[in-house]
Amino acid sequence: MTDDPWARTLAALAALAVDPALKGLTLRVRAGPVRTALDHALTALPGPMHRIHPALSDEALFGGIDVTASLAAGRQVRSGGLAAGPAILLLPMAERVPPGLAARLAQLLDSGTGHRLILLDEGADAEECAPACLRERLAFATDLTALRHDETTGGLPAPADLDAARQLLPRVTAPPEAAATLTGLAVRFGIDSLRAPLLALRAARALAALNDRAAIGDDDLRRAAELVYAPRATCLPEAPPEPPDPPAPDDDRPDDEAADGQTEHLDRIPDEILVEAVRTCLPPELLNGLHRHPTRTATGSGAGARRKGNRRGRPLPARPGRPDGRARIDLLATLRAAAPWQTLRRRARPDGPHIHIHPADIRLKRCEDRSDRLLVFLVDASGSTAMTRLAEAKGAVELLLGQAYARRDHVALIAMRGTGAELLLPPTRSLVQARRRLTALPGGGGTPLASGLGESLSVARSARHHGLAPALVLLTDGKANIALDGTANRAQAAADTDRLASAILAADLPGLLIDISSRPAPATAPLARALGAHHLSLPHADAPRISRAVTAALAG
């Protein structure tokens, strides 16, 4: 198979149509002509297909009591959810699936009911992806983000061919060494899941059935390894050791014995051919960053903190509770909880109301909302930075202001110079005001770092009271020399800075410290640790690079 993501996608979809036990496929694709071509290809898959949403409720997935039908019929009527019968579940925006829904979908896939899941991952970067528990269970994954529309040629096999392959699949046999070969290949590519070899073997059987073969061939094994192992590989395999020189051939062996040995060697595909087949399908970013182990994953650029409530936001499943005057009762959920007990309660109280509601039946509404994010820019405009990096710091802040405006973030601008810090711009979404204040910012004087940290903490606390999620972006060289009382005392300035850094750490204020000195300053790294912030030392970076680094560090 050539390194063609569209051809791999079609092969994976064809195998999935033949064997539902392959569970599904993860497709990384954004909206556009390629997505349109993919939607057209998905319509050729046999069986019912349901498009679901990351906010799918438990009742829609697993079914529940139909309140309207139960009230009309006078008895309990249950409605079947999407899990009632085998179907293909198509999930757009898979990178935004909450953990609860991901766990329930994983449970549905493990139940063996014949459901298949197709994840449409629309993440903007590598860290923004579908939940790992779902990607682990799906046999295939392809990336179509770099594909052009004119490369989406071809389609799935005809429905008659897919039906014939499904009928042939139970009779397809595998060579005895196939399982051991696939398991060893998974180990060489750093794949530690036992699901991968099992799925690869099932994929090879499905591919053989599609090719009208009753036994798995070398080509089926190679293609299955490309489809299943390439997205899961975490490392490149080491080169095999040089084999020892073969012994001299024994001329006394009979000709038929020598021929049998040669036939046995040809019947088994060499491992190195499989390794090279998988290697050619590895994505370029894997080859460039095999030894990077990110410690955090982003949940979306510019996302604020989650907040639970009962008035606004995305609805969450209702929970039992007592009305306290603030919470709202979920009427439908309450009726569903009370419906199974109506027969017993009517027998106990035949003269009671038509519908018996007990306090234990009451369900309260819950919602989840994301607060707006506030970026507090604390800019060091002292004399030491004015002579070196103040212009670049202004350029970086201006670019970040534009990005914050596009994400509808709030921004605040604080300058520290002279004997204190000044709030140049309170929290606002006005890009024009922020740019005007930033352009007019002069440089010079001492570095009142403690005063700047105190002002930032005050702005952040006030923002939290107003429902915002603040984050601090500090641009400084770390050379504090002005104490909180405005005196030029380096020892007292360092003590005040440490005290306020501890207060910011205790306030759980996320942030980033950018060292904008001409050379890496020794004081910035300890200050970043005291703040609990990311540290970025860019002595030779320009404003766009600083902007990209800040955006990556504060994403999510």
Side-chain angles (χ1 to χ4, degrees):
M1 181 183 297
T2 60
D3 187 14
D4 182 358
W6 184 252
R8 292 200 303 271
T9 301
L10 294 179
L13 289 175
L16 187 62
V18 172
D19 189 0
L22 294 172
K23 306 294 185 183
L25 169 66
T26 302
L27 290 166
R28 194 170 185 86
V29 60
R30 307 295 296 272
V34 175
R35 173 71 172 271
T36 303
L38 176 64
D39 291 339
H40 180 71
L42 292 176
T43 58
L45 290 175
M49 179 180 296
H50 304 291
R51 185 180 293 265
I52 61 177
H53 190 271
L56 186 70
S57 63
D58 288 349
E59 289 78 12
L61 183 59
F62 295 109
I65 298 175
D66 190 331
V67 176
T68 304
S70 299
L71 292 176
R75 56 182 179 83
Q76 179 180 334
V77 178
R78 300 188 65 87
S79 61
L82 297 176
I88 300 175
L89 303 180
L90 183 62
L91 178 57
M93 296 184 295
E95 74 282 357
R96 297 182 179 272
V97 174
L101 178 59
R104 292 189 288 274
L105 289 175
Q107 178 186 4
L108 179 61
L109 293 175
D110 291 342
S111 63
T113 55
H115 284 81
R116 288 160 287 178
L117 180 64
I118 297 179
L119 301 178
L120 298 181
D121 189 342
E122 305 172 22
D125 50 50
E127 294 183 350
E128 191 178 9
C129 57
C133 65
L134 294 180
R135 292 185 284 114
E136 165 70 15
R137 286 168 169 79
L138 307 185
F140 311 115
T142 56
D143 190 344
L144 304 178
T145 54
L147 198 66
R148 301 193 309 269
H149 175 59
D150 56 0
E151 296 176 336
T152 58
T153 57
L156 293 180
D161 296 335
L162 294 177
D163 291 339
R166 280 193 293 270
Q167 296 176 4
L168 177 60
L169 180 65
R171 303 193 300 272
V172 175
T173 60
E177 69 277 1
T181 300
L182 291 173
T183 304
L185 188 64
V187 173
R188 296 188 63 180
F189 278 96
I191 303 172
D192 55 2
S193 172
L194 290 178
R195 282 194 180 96
L198 295 175
L199 291 173
L201 188 58
R202 297 198 73 100
R205 295 178 69 245
L207 293 172
L210 284 168
N211 292 317
D212 196 22
R213 288 194 287 263
I216 295 177
D218 293 348
D219 186 60
D220 303 322
L221 207 61
R222 181 170 58 252
R223 294 176 66 191
E226 292 175 357
L227 292 172
V228 178
Y229 287 168
R232 290 174 164 82
T234 61
C235 67
L236 290 177
E238 298 180 357
E242 292 293 335
D245 295 335
D250 188 1
D251 295 336
D252 296 335
R253 288 189 305 168
D255 294 339
D256 55 351
E257 182 180 349
D260 291 342
Q262 185 179 6
T263 303
E264 180 182 359
H265 174 72
L266 293 177
D267 285 343
R268 182 178 182 275
I269 182 172
D271 291 346
E272 291 311 308
I273 295 180
L274 290 175
V275 169
E276 291 302 321
V278 177
R279 188 196 296 264
T280 57
C281 295
L282 293 179
E285 58 270 16
L286 175 65
L287 301 178
N288 296 334
L290 285 172
H291 304 291
R292 289 199 297 260
H293 301 282
T295 58
R296 61 187 295 269
T297 57
T299 58
S301 179
R306 290 186 174 93
R307 298 182 300 179
K308 296 293 191 301
N310 53 38
R311 300 286 177 182
R312 301 168 51 186
R314 180 173 64 86
L316 295 176
R319 290 291 182 265
R322 287 178 171 270
D324 55 1
R326 298 189 302 270
R328 302 172 63 184
I329 296 177
D330 191 328
L331 181 59
L332 291 179
T334 301
L335 292 176
R336 288 193 187 97
W341 309 99
Q342 295 306 302
T343 303
L344 294 177
R345 292 173 183 176
R346 287 173 186 153
R347 291 175 182 173
R349 294 185 56 190
D351 56 344
H354 183 66
I355 300 178
H356 296 258
I357 304 294
H358 289 185
D361 302 329
I362 295 178
R363 299 295 186 267
L364 303 180
K365 287 185 176 181
R366 298 191 310 148
C367 298
E368 180 183 82
D369 190 14
R370 282 189 180 271
S371 58
D372 293 339
R373 190 172 68 166
L374 168 66
L375 295 180
V376 181
F377 293 98
L378 178 56
V379 182
D380 185 353
S382 62
S384 58
T385 59
M387 299 180 61
T388 54
R389 303 297 301 282
L390 183 57
E392 291 184 2
K394 286 184 178 181
V397 173
E398 186 169 347
L399 289 174
L400 287 169
L401 288 173
Q403 297 177 10
Y405 178 78
R407 294 191 302 261
R408 305 305 296 163
D409 287 338
H410 293 73
V411 295
L413 183 60
I414 302 174
M416 50 182 182
R417 62 185 181 88
T419 59
E422 179 185 2
L423 179 60
L424 298 179
L425 185 67
T428 182
R429 282 177 172 169
S430 176
L431 180 62
V432 176
Q433 289 189 35
R435 284 179 172 174
R436 186 182 300 119
R437 303 288 177 86
L438 184 65
T439 303
L441 174 62
T447 306
L449 185 55
S451 179
L453 294 177
E455 185 68 23
S456 302
L457 183 59
S458 176
V459 172
R461 286 174 174 170
S462 176
R464 279 179 174 167
H465 286 312
H466 289 82
L468 299 177
L472 175 64
V473 181
L474 172 59
L475 297 92
T476 183
D477 57 5
K479 300 175 182 178
N481 52 23
I482 303 297
L484 276 177
D485 56 6
T487 60
N489 187 333
R490 290 184 180 273
Q492 185 62 38
D496 293 340
T497 300
D498 292 341
R499 179 168 55 84
L500 285 165
S502 300
I504 289 178
L505 180 63
D508 194 21
L509 179 62
L512 172 69
L513 188 151
I514 301 178
D515 183 1
I516 58 174
S517 57
S518 57
R519 294 182 179 179
T524 55
L527 177 60
R529 289 193 296 270
L531 292 169
H534 297 274
H535 178 251
L536 193 62
S537 180
L538 295 176
H540 302 293
D542 54 6
R545 287 182 59 191
I546 297 178
S547 171
R548 290 193 296 269
V550 174
T551 302
L554 293 181

